[in-house]
Amino acid sequence: MDQTLQVSQAAAELVAAFASNDTQRYFACFSEDASFVFHTLPQPLFSRQQYQTLWQQWQADGFKVLDCQSSNASITLQGDLAIFIHDVDTRISLNGEEQQLAERETILFRRHDCRWLACHEHLSVVSPA
């Protein structure tokens, strides 16, 4: 199977798991040593476990993903790494209040045996045009 298609499928699985608020399936898309840079946090997270712990705290505080739509995707292969960039429109619930977010995300995927896993995610706000 074409590597670009494999990365596209890995990215689609990650987005679908996130959109359905499926915690176990979502975190299974990341390598254990993945790092995360989110515009909403004061510092990066340097492991999947660190992010998963924070995610569980968010959920305990009333956070839930209601939907997530990916658009404008591009994939660039760099050997055993792939750069996936897309725009994400996400609808969340925070303490019972719905919010709509417009963000741009870069996800680096690294090949692990026959599977592509996300090893870095960078999320930023999309500025209005």
Side-chain angles (χ1 to χ4, degrees):
M1 181 187 294
D2 176 82
Q3 290 186 25
T4 301
L5 181 57
Q6 290 174 351
V7 173
S8 179
Q9 289 175 340
E13 171 62 22
L14 189 154
V15 171
F18 179 78
S20 64
N21 203 56
D22 187 334
T23 301
Q24 183 175 355
R25 204 169 104 220
Y26 175 58
F27 283 98
C29 295
F30 293 97
S31 62
E32 290 181 24
D33 63 347
S35 56
F36 305 86
V37 177
F38 300 136
H39 64 91
T40 56
L41 297 178
Q43 71 277 335
L45 303 171
F46 293 105
S47 72
R48 180 179 69 194
Q49 183 58 51
Q50 232 183 337
Y51 180 26
Q52 197 162 3
T53 298
L54 181 60
W55 180 274
Q56 290 166 344
Q57 291 171 356
W58 289 344
Q59 286 186 319
D61 291 341
F63 169 82
K64 182 177 182 180
V65 178
L66 302 173
D67 189 36
C68 182
Q69 299 296 317
S70 172
S71 62
N72 301 319
S74 70
I75 297 171
T76 306
L77 294 173
Q78 303 284 334
D80 284 342
L81 286 177
I83 303 165
F84 175 78
I85 300 171
H86 67 148
D87 294 333
V88 285
D89 290 314
T90 306
R91 195 165 49 92
I92 63 169
S93 176
L94 191 56
N95 298 320
E97 288 187 32
E98 285 192 25
Q99 295 180 20
Q100 188 73 33
L101 307 171
E103 299 164 309
R104 181 161 296 125
E105 184 171 54
T106 301
I107 303 173
L108 297 180
F109 286 89
R110 183 174 61 220
R111 191 176 9 206
H112 289 263
D113 298 321
C114 298
R115 186 168 179 222
W116 289 89
L117 292 176
C119 63
H120 179 76
E121 180 180 348
H122 186 126
L123 187 65
S124 56
V125 174
V126 173
S127 300

Short mmCIF file of all heavy atoms in Angstrom, two decimals, residues 10-68:
data_model
loop_
_atom_site.label_atom_id
_atom_site.label_comp_id
_atom_site.label_asym_id
_atom_site.label_seq_id
_atom_site.Cartn_x
_atom_site.Cartn_y
_atom_site.Cartn_z
N ALA A 10 -4.01 6.66 8.83
CA ALA A 10 -3.65 6.83 10.25
C ALA A 10 -4.18 8.16 10.78
O ALA A 10 -4.71 8.23 11.90
CB ALA A 10 -2.13 6.75 10.41
N ALA A 11 -4.08 9.22 9.98
CA ALA A 11 -4.59 10.53 10.39
C ALA A 11 -6.12 10.50 10.50
O ALA A 11 -6.68 11.05 11.46
CB ALA A 11 -4.15 11.59 9.39
N ALA A 12 -6.78 9.85 9.56
CA ALA A 12 -8.24 9.75 9.61
C ALA A 12 -8.69 8.99 10.85
O ALA A 12 -9.69 9.37 11.49
CB ALA A 12 -8.76 9.06 8.34
N GLU A 13 -7.96 7.94 11.22
CA GLU A 13 -8.29 7.17 12.43
C GLU A 13 -8.12 8.04 13.68
O GLU A 13 -8.96 8.03 14.57
CB GLU A 13 -7.41 5.92 12.51
CG GLU A 13 -7.52 5.17 13.82
CD GLU A 13 -8.91 4.61 14.13
OE1 GLU A 13 -9.73 4.43 13.21
OE2 GLU A 13 -9.18 4.37 15.33
N LEU A 14 -7.04 8.81 13.73
CA LEU A 14 -6.79 9.69 14.87
C LEU A 14 -7.91 10.72 14.99
O LEU A 14 -8.47 10.91 16.07
CB LEU A 14 -5.42 10.37 14.70
CG LEU A 14 -4.89 11.17 15.88
CD1 LEU A 14 -3.37 11.21 15.82
CD2 LEU A 14 -5.42 12.57 15.91
N VAL A 15 -8.27 11.37 13.89
CA VAL A 15 -9.32 12.40 13.91
C VAL A 15 -10.66 11.77 14.28
O VAL A 15 -11.41 12.33 15.09
CB VAL A 15 -9.40 13.14 12.56
CG1 VAL A 15 -10.62 14.05 12.51
CG2 VAL A 15 -8.12 13.95 12.32
N ALA A 16 -10.97 10.60 13.73
CA ALA A 16 -12.24 9.94 14.04
C ALA A 16 -12.33 9.57 15.52
O ALA A 16 -13.38 9.74 16.15
CB ALA A 16 -12.42 8.70 13.17
N ALA A 17 -11.23 9.06 16.08
CA ALA A 17 -11.22 8.71 17.50
C ALA A 17 -11.41 9.95 18.36
O ALA A 17 -12.15 9.94 19.34
CB ALA A 17 -9.92 7.99 17.85
N PHE A 18 -10.72 11.04 18.00
CA PHE A 18 -10.86 12.30 18.72
C PHE A 18 -12.29 12.81 18.62
O PHE A 18 -12.91 13.18 19.62
CB PHE A 18 -9.87 13.33 18.17
CG PHE A 18 -9.94 14.68 18.82
CD1 PHE A 18 -9.35 14.90 20.05
CD2 PHE A 18 -10.59 15.73 18.20
CE1 PHE A 18 -9.41 16.15 20.67
CE2 PHE A 18 -10.66 16.99 18.80
CZ PHE A 18 -10.07 17.19 20.04
N ALA A 19 -12.84 12.82 17.39
CA ALA A 19 -14.19 13.35 17.14
C ALA A 19 -15.26 12.59 17.91
O ALA A 19 -16.26 13.17 18.32
CB ALA A 19 -14.50 13.31 15.65
N SER A 20 -15.02 11.29 18.14
CA SER A 20 -16.01 10.49 18.86
C SER A 20 -15.73 10.42 20.36
O SER A 20 -16.40 9.69 21.08
CB SER A 20 -16.07 9.08 18.27
OG SER A 20 -14.83 8.41 18.46
N ASN A 21 -14.72 11.18 20.81
CA ASN A 21 -14.37 11.23 22.22
C ASN A 21 -14.00 9.84 22.76
O ASN A 21 -14.24 9.52 23.92
CB ASN A 21 -15.51 11.85 23.04
CG ASN A 21 -15.03 12.44 24.35
OD1 ASN A 21 -14.14 13.28 24.37
ND2 ASN A 21 -15.59 11.98 25.46
N ASP A 22 -13.40 9.03 21.89
CA ASP A 22 -12.99 7.67 22.24
C ASP A 22 -11.56 7.71 22.77
O ASP A 22 -10.59 7.57 22.01
CB ASP A 22 -13.11 6.76 21.01
CG ASP A 22 -12.87 5.30 21.33
OD1 ASP A 22 -12.16 5.00 22.32
OD2 ASP A 22 -13.38 4.46 20.58
N THR A 23 -11.43 7.90 24.05
CA THR A 23 -10.12 8.11 24.68
C THR A 23 -9.14 6.99 24.37
O THR A 23 -8.00 7.26 23.97
CB THR A 23 -10.29 8.26 26.21
OG1 THR A 23 -11.15 9.37 26.46
CG2 THR A 23 -8.96 8.49 26.89
N GLN A 24 -9.55 5.75 24.54
CA GLN A 24 -8.63 4.63 24.35
C GLN A 24 -8.15 4.57 22.89
O GLN A 24 -6.95 4.43 22.63
CB GLN A 24 -9.30 3.32 24.74
CG GLN A 24 -8.38 2.12 24.64
CD GLN A 24 -9.05 0.85 25.16
OE1 GLN A 24 -10.16 0.87 25.68
NE2 GLN A 24 -8.36 -0.26 25.01
N ARG A 25 -9.06 4.67 21.96
CA ARG A 25 -8.71 4.62 20.54
C ARG A 25 -7.86 5.82 20.13
O ARG A 25 -6.92 5.69 19.34
CB ARG A 25 -10.00 4.56 19.72
CG ARG A 25 -9.82 3.95 18.36
CD ARG A 25 -11.18 3.69 17.71
NE ARG A 25 -11.38 4.72 16.71
CZ ARG A 25 -12.51 5.35 16.46
NH1 ARG A 25 -13.59 5.07 17.15
NH2 ARG A 25 -12.59 6.25 15.52
N TYR A 26 -8.17 6.99 20.68
CA TYR A 26 -7.43 8.21 20.37
C TYR A 26 -5.97 8.08 20.80
O TYR A 26 -5.05 8.30 20.01
CB TYR A 26 -8.11 9.40 21.04
CG TYR A 26 -7.40 10.72 20.92
CD1 TYR A 26 -7.10 11.27 19.68
CD2 TYR A 26 -7.03 11.43 22.06
CE1 TYR A 26 -6.46 12.50 19.57
CE2 TYR A 26 -6.40 12.66 21.96
CZ TYR A 26 -6.11 13.18 20.71
OH TYR A 26 -5.47 14.40 20.61
N PHE A 27 -5.73 7.70 22.05
CA PHE A 27 -4.36 7.64 22.53
C PHE A 27 -3.57 6.49 21.94
O PHE A 27 -2.34 6.53 21.89
CB PHE A 27 -4.32 7.65 24.07
CG PHE A 27 -4.55 9.03 24.61
CD1 PHE A 27 -5.80 9.42 25.05
CD2 PHE A 27 -3.52 9.96 24.64
CE1 PHE A 27 -6.03 10.71 25.52
CE2 PHE A 27 -3.73 11.25 25.10
CZ PHE A 27 -4.98 11.63 25.54
N ALA A 28 -4.25 5.47 21.42
CA ALA A 28 -3.57 4.37 20.74
C ALA A 28 -2.95 4.83 19.41
O ALA A 28 -2.10 4.14 18.86
CB ALA A 28 -4.53 3.22 20.50
N CYS A 29 -3.34 6.00 18.93
CA CYS A 29 -2.80 6.55 17.68
C CYS A 29 -1.45 7.24 17.87
O CYS A 29 -0.81 7.64 16.89
CB CYS A 29 -3.79 7.55 17.08
SG CYS A 29 -5.36 6.82 16.56
N PHE A 30 -1.00 7.38 19.13
CA PHE A 30 0.25 8.09 19.45
C PHE A 30 1.31 7.12 19.97
O PHE A 30 1.00 6.19 20.71
CB PHE A 30 0.01 9.15 20.53
CG PHE A 30 -0.86 10.28 20.08
CD1 PHE A 30 -2.21 10.28 20.36
CD2 PHE A 30 -0.33 11.35 19.38
CE1 PHE A 30 -3.03 11.32 19.95
CE2 PHE A 30 -1.14 12.40 18.96
CZ PHE A 30 -2.49 12.38 19.25
N SER A 31 2.57 7.41 19.64
CA SER A 31 3.67 6.66 20.23
C SER A 31 3.82 7.10 21.70
O SER A 31 3.37 8.19 22.08
CB SER A 31 4.97 6.93 19.47
OG SER A 31 5.33 8.30 19.55
N GLU A 32 4.41 6.25 22.50
CA GLU A 32 4.57 6.58 23.92
C GLU A 32 5.42 7.82 24.14
O GLU A 32 5.22 8.57 25.09
CB GLU A 32 5.20 5.40 24.67
CG GLU A 32 4.28 4.21 24.81
CD GLU A 32 4.91 3.06 25.57
OE1 GLU A 32 5.85 3.29 26.36
OE2 GLU A 32 4.46 1.93 25.37
N ASP A 33 6.39 8.07 23.24
CA ASP A 33 7.29 9.20 23.39
C ASP A 33 6.81 10.45 22.64
O ASP A 33 7.57 11.40 22.44
CB ASP A 33 8.70 8.83 22.93
CG ASP A 33 8.77 8.47 21.45
OD1 ASP A 33 7.71 8.26 20.81
OD2 ASP A 33 9.90 8.38 20.92
N ALA A 34 5.55 10.46 22.25
CA ALA A 34 5.01 11.61 21.51
C ALA A 34 5.08 12.88 22.34
O ALA A 34 5.00 12.85 23.57
CB ALA A 34 3.56 11.33 21.11
N SER A 35 5.23 14.00 21.64
CA SER A 35 5.23 15.31 22.29
C SER A 35 4.07 16.13 21.73
O SER A 35 3.59 15.88 20.63
CB SER A 35 6.56 16.02 22.08
OG SER A 35 6.85 16.15 20.70
N PHE A 36 3.65 17.12 22.52
CA PHE A 36 2.45 17.89 22.18
C PHE A 36 2.68 19.36 22.51
O PHE A 36 3.12 19.69 23.62
CB PHE A 36 1.25 17.37 22.98
CG PHE A 36 1.03 15.89 22.81
CD1 PHE A 36 1.71 14.98 23.62
CD2 PHE A 36 0.17 15.42 21.83
CE1 PHE A 36 1.52 13.61 23.46
CE2 PHE A 36 -0.01 14.05 21.67
CZ PHE A 36 0.66 13.14 22.48
N VAL A 37 2.34 20.23 21.57
CA VAL A 37 2.40 21.68 21.78
C VAL A 37 1.01 22.22 21.44
O VAL A 37 0.58 22.17 20.29
CB VAL A 37 3.47 22.34 20.88
CG1 VAL A 37 3.44 23.85 21.06
CG2 VAL A 37 4.85 21.77 21.17
N PHE A 38 0.32 22.70 22.47
CA PHE A 38 -1.03 23.23 22.30
C PHE A 38 -1.05 24.70 22.70
O PHE A 38 -0.50 25.06 23.76
CB PHE A 38 -2.02 22.46 23.18
CG PHE A 38 -2.11 20.99 22.87
CD1 PHE A 38 -2.14 20.07 23.90
CD2 PHE A 38 -2.16 20.53 21.58
CE1 PHE A 38 -2.23 18.71 23.64
CE2 PHE A 38 -2.24 19.17 21.29
CZ PHE A 38 -2.28 18.25 22.33
N HIS A 39 -1.68 25.53 21.90
CA HIS A 39 -1.75 26.96 22.19
C HIS A 39 -2.47 27.24 23.50
O HIS A 39 -2.33 28.32 24.06
CB HIS A 39 -2.41 27.72 21.03
CG HIS A 39 -3.83 27.36 20.79
ND1 HIS A 39 -4.88 28.01 21.40
CD2 HIS A 39 -4.40 26.39 20.03
CE1 HIS A 39 -6.02 27.47 21.01
NE2 HIS A 39 -5.76 26.48 20.17
N THR A 40 -3.22 26.29 24.01
CA THR A 40 -3.97 26.47 25.25
C THR A 40 -3.16 26.16 26.51
O THR A 40 -3.65 26.41 27.61
CB THR A 40 -5.22 25.57 25.24
OG1 THR A 40 -4.79 24.21 25.03
CG2 THR A 40 -6.18 25.97 24.13
N LEU A 41 -1.96 25.63 26.33
CA LEU A 41 -1.13 25.24 27.48
C LEU A 41 0.12 26.12 27.57
O LEU A 41 0.69 26.50 26.54
CB LEU A 41 -0.69 23.78 27.37
CG LEU A 41 -1.79 22.72 27.39
CD1 LEU A 41 -1.19 21.33 27.23
CD2 LEU A 41 -2.61 22.81 28.66
N PRO A 42 0.59 26.38 28.78
CA PRO A 42 1.77 27.24 28.94
C PRO A 42 3.08 26.55 28.56
O PRO A 42 4.08 27.23 28.33
CB PRO A 42 1.76 27.61 30.43
CG PRO A 42 0.98 26.50 31.08
CD PRO A 42 -0.02 26.02 30.07
N GLN A 43 3.10 25.21 28.50
CA GLN A 43 4.33 24.50 28.15
C GLN A 43 3.99 23.22 27.39
O GLN A 43 2.87 22.72 27.48
CB GLN A 43 5.17 24.17 29.40
CG GLN A 43 4.59 23.08 30.29
CD GLN A 43 3.54 23.60 31.27
OE1 GLN A 43 3.54 24.77 31.61
NE2 GLN A 43 2.64 22.74 31.69
N PRO A 44 4.97 22.69 26.64
CA PRO A 44 4.73 21.44 25.91
C PRO A 44 4.57 20.25 26.85
O PRO A 44 4.98 20.29 28.01
CB PRO A 44 6.01 21.27 25.08
CG PRO A 44 6.69 22.58 25.09
CD PRO A 44 6.28 23.27 26.36
N LEU A 45 3.97 19.19 26.32
CA LEU A 45 3.88 17.91 27.01
C LEU A 45 4.85 16.97 26.30
O LEU A 45 4.92 16.97 25.06
CB LEU A 45 2.46 17.37 26.94
CG LEU A 45 1.37 18.29 27.50
CD1 LEU A 45 -0.01 17.73 27.18
CD2 LEU A 45 1.55 18.46 29.00
N PHE A 46 5.59 16.17 27.04
CA PHE A 46 6.67 15.38 26.45
C PHE A 46 6.45 13.87 26.48
O PHE A 46 7.39 13.11 26.31
CB PHE A 46 8.00 15.75 27.11
CG PHE A 46 8.42 17.15 26.78
CD1 PHE A 46 8.30 18.16 27.73
CD2 PHE A 46 8.89 17.47 25.52
CE1 PHE A 46 8.66 19.46 27.43
CE2 PHE A 46 9.25 18.77 25.21
CZ PHE A 46 9.14 19.77 26.16
N SER A 47 5.20 13.44 26.66
CA SER A 47 4.90 12.02 26.56
C SER A 47 3.41 11.83 26.37
O SER A 47 2.61 12.71 26.73
CB SER A 47 5.35 11.26 27.81
OG SER A 47 4.52 11.56 28.91
N ARG A 48 3.05 10.69 25.80
CA ARG A 48 1.64 10.36 25.66
C ARG A 48 0.98 10.27 27.03
O ARG A 48 -0.14 10.73 27.23
CB ARG A 48 1.50 9.03 24.90
CG ARG A 48 0.06 8.60 24.71
CD ARG A 48 -0.04 7.30 23.94
NE ARG A 48 0.47 6.20 24.75
CZ ARG A 48 0.76 4.99 24.28
NH1 ARG A 48 0.63 4.73 23.00
NH2 ARG A 48 1.19 4.06 25.08
N GLN A 49 1.70 9.72 28.00
CA GLN A 49 1.15 9.58 29.35
C GLN A 49 0.85 10.94 29.97
O GLN A 49 -0.19 11.11 30.63
CB GLN A 49 2.10 8.78 30.24
CG GLN A 49 1.55 8.53 31.64
CD GLN A 49 0.22 7.79 31.63
OE1 GLN A 49 0.09 6.75 30.99
NE2 GLN A 49 -0.79 8.32 32.30
N GLN A 50 1.74 11.89 29.77
CA GLN A 50 1.51 13.25 30.30
C GLN A 50 0.22 13.83 29.73
O GLN A 50 -0.60 14.40 30.45
CB GLN A 50 2.69 14.15 29.90
CG GLN A 50 3.30 14.89 31.03
CD GLN A 50 4.42 15.81 30.54
OE1 GLN A 50 5.03 15.63 29.48
NE2 GLN A 50 4.71 16.80 31.33
N TYR A 51 0.03 13.68 28.42
CA TYR A 51 -1.17 14.19 27.77
C TYR A 51 -2.40 13.43 28.23
O TYR A 51 -3.44 14.02 28.52
CB TYR A 51 -1.00 14.12 26.25
CG TYR A 51 -2.16 14.62 25.44
CD1 TYR A 51 -3.07 15.56 25.92
CD2 TYR A 51 -2.36 14.14 24.16
CE1 TYR A 51 -4.13 16.01 25.15
CE2 TYR A 51 -3.42 14.59 23.37
CZ TYR A 51 -4.30 15.51 23.87
OH TYR A 51 -5.34 15.95 23.10
N GLN A 52 -2.29 12.12 28.35
CA GLN A 52 -3.44 11.31 28.75
C GLN A 52 -3.88 11.67 30.17
O GLN A 52 -5.08 11.75 30.46
CB GLN A 52 -3.10 9.83 28.65
CG GLN A 52 -4.32 8.95 28.65
CD GLN A 52 -4.02 7.54 28.12
OE1 GLN A 52 -2.89 7.21 27.80
NE2 GLN A 52 -5.04 6.73 28.04
N THR A 53 -2.94 11.92 31.06
CA THR A 53 -3.26 12.34 32.43
C THR A 53 -4.00 13.68 32.41
O THR A 53 -5.02 13.85 33.09
CB THR A 53 -1.98 12.44 33.28
OG1 THR A 53 -1.38 11.14 33.34
CG2 THR A 53 -2.28 12.94 34.68
N LEU A 54 -3.52 14.62 31.60
CA LEU A 54 -4.17 15.92 31.47
C LEU A 54 -5.57 15.76 30.87
O LEU A 54 -6.54 16.37 31.34
CB LEU A 54 -3.32 16.86 30.62
CG LEU A 54 -3.86 18.27 30.42
CD1 LEU A 54 -4.02 18.99 31.75
CD2 LEU A 54 -2.94 19.04 29.48
N TRP A 55 -5.68 14.91 29.86
CA TRP A 55 -6.98 14.64 29.21
C TRP A 55 -7.99 14.13 30.24
O TRP A 55 -9.15 14.56 30.26
CB TRP A 55 -6.76 13.61 28.10
CG TRP A 55 -7.98 13.21 27.34
CD1 TRP A 55 -8.88 12.23 27.68
CD2 TRP A 55 -8.45 13.75 26.11
NE1 TRP A 55 -9.87 12.12 26.73
CE2 TRP A 55 -9.63 13.05 25.76
CE3 TRP A 55 -8.00 14.75 25.26
CZ2 TRP A 55 -10.35 13.32 24.59
CZ3 TRP A 55 -8.71 15.01 24.10
CH2 TRP A 55 -9.87 14.31 23.79
N GLN A 56 -7.55 13.20 31.09
CA GLN A 56 -8.44 12.66 32.12
C GLN A 56 -8.87 13.75 33.10
O GLN A 56 -10.03 13.77 33.54
CB GLN A 56 -7.75 11.50 32.85
CG GLN A 56 -7.60 10.28 31.97
CD GLN A 56 -6.65 9.24 32.53
OE1 GLN A 56 -5.85 9.50 33.43
NE2 GLN A 56 -6.70 8.03 31.98
N GLN A 57 -7.98 14.68 33.43
CA GLN A 57 -8.34 15.81 34.29
C GLN A 57 -9.37 16.70 33.60
O GLN A 57 -10.34 17.15 34.22
CB GLN A 57 -7.09 16.63 34.66
CG GLN A 57 -6.14 15.92 35.58
CD GLN A 57 -4.82 16.67 35.74
OE1 GLN A 57 -4.57 17.69 35.12
NE2 GLN A 57 -3.96 16.13 36.59
N TRP A 58 -9.14 16.95 32.30
CA TRP A 58 -10.10 17.76 31.55
C TRP A 58 -11.47 17.11 31.56
O TRP A 58 -12.48 17.77 31.78
CB TRP A 58 -9.65 17.93 30.10
CG TRP A 58 -8.47 18.82 29.86
CD1 TRP A 58 -7.92 19.72 30.72
CD2 TRP A 58 -7.68 18.88 28.67
NE1 TRP A 58 -6.84 20.34 30.15
CE2 TRP A 58 -6.68 19.85 28.90
CE3 TRP A 58 -7.72 18.21 27.45
CZ2 TRP A 58 -5.73 20.16 27.92
CZ3 TRP A 58 -6.79 18.53 26.49
CH2 TRP A 58 -5.80 19.50 26.72
N GLN A 59 -11.51 15.79 31.32
CA GLN A 59 -12.79 15.09 31.30
C GLN A 59 -13.47 15.13 32.67
O GLN A 59 -14.68 15.31 32.76
CB GLN A 59 -12.62 13.64 30.83
CG GLN A 59 -12.35 13.56 29.34
CD GLN A 59 -12.32 12.14 28.83
OE1 GLN A 59 -11.78 11.25 29.47
NE2 GLN A 59 -12.91 11.92 27.67
N ALA A 60 -12.69 14.99 33.72
CA ALA A 60 -13.25 15.08 35.08
C ALA A 60 -13.83 16.47 35.34
O ALA A 60 -14.78 16.61 36.11
CB ALA A 60 -12.17 14.74 36.11
N ASP A 61 -13.28 17.48 34.66
CA ASP A 61 -13.77 18.86 34.80
C ASP A 61 -14.90 19.19 33.83
O ASP A 61 -15.31 20.34 33.72
CB ASP A 61 -12.61 19.85 34.58
CG ASP A 61 -11.59 19.81 35.70
OD1 ASP A 61 -11.92 19.32 36.80
OD2 ASP A 61 -10.45 20.26 35.47
N GLY A 62 -15.38 18.18 33.08
CA GLY A 62 -16.52 18.40 32.21
C GLY A 62 -16.21 18.58 30.73
O GLY A 62 -17.08 18.98 29.96
N PHE A 63 -14.98 18.28 30.30
CA PHE A 63 -14.61 18.41 28.90
C PHE A 63 -15.07 17.20 28.11
O PHE A 63 -14.93 16.06 28.55
CB PHE A 63 -13.08 18.53 28.79
CG PHE A 63 -12.54 18.42 27.38
CD1 PHE A 63 -12.55 19.52 26.55
CD2 PHE A 63 -12.03 17.22 26.92
CE1 PHE A 63 -12.04 19.42 25.26
CE2 PHE A 63 -11.52 17.11 25.63
CZ PHE A 63 -11.52 18.21 24.81
N LYS A 64 -15.61 17.46 26.90
CA LYS A 64 -15.99 16.37 26.00
C LYS A 64 -15.92 16.87 24.57
O LYS A 64 -16.37 17.98 24.27
CB LYS A 64 -17.40 15.89 26.31
CG LYS A 64 -17.83 14.72 25.45
CD LYS A 64 -19.20 14.21 25.83
CE LYS A 64 -19.53 13.01 24.95
NZ LYS A 64 -20.83 12.45 25.24
N VAL A 65 -15.36 16.05 23.68
CA VAL A 65 -15.36 16.37 22.26
C VAL A 65 -16.69 15.92 21.69
O VAL A 65 -17.11 14.78 21.88
CB VAL A 65 -14.20 15.66 21.52
CG1 VAL A 65 -14.25 15.98 20.03
CG2 VAL A 65 -12.85 16.06 22.11
N LEU A 66 -17.38 16.84 20.99
CA LEU A 66 -18.68 16.53 20.39
C LEU A 66 -18.55 16.23 18.90
O LEU A 66 -19.31 15.43 18.36
CB LEU A 66 -19.65 17.70 20.60
CG LEU A 66 -19.88 18.10 22.06
CD1 LEU A 66 -20.73 19.37 22.13
CD2 LEU A 66 -20.52 16.96 22.83
N ASP A 67 -17.59 16.87 18.24
CA ASP A 67 -17.37 16.64 16.82
C ASP A 67 -16.04 17.28 16.42
O ASP A 67 -15.58 18.23 17.07
CB ASP A 67 -18.50 17.26 15.99
CG ASP A 67 -18.44 16.87 14.52
OD1 ASP A 67 -18.05 15.72 14.23
OD2 ASP A 67 -18.76 17.72 13.67
N CYS A 68 -15.46 16.76 15.34
CA CYS A 68 -14.24 17.34 14.79
C CYS A 68 -14.21 17.04 13.30
O CYS A 68 -14.36 15.89 12.90
CB CYS A 68 -13.01 16.75 15.48
SG CYS A 68 -11.45 17.45 14.88
#
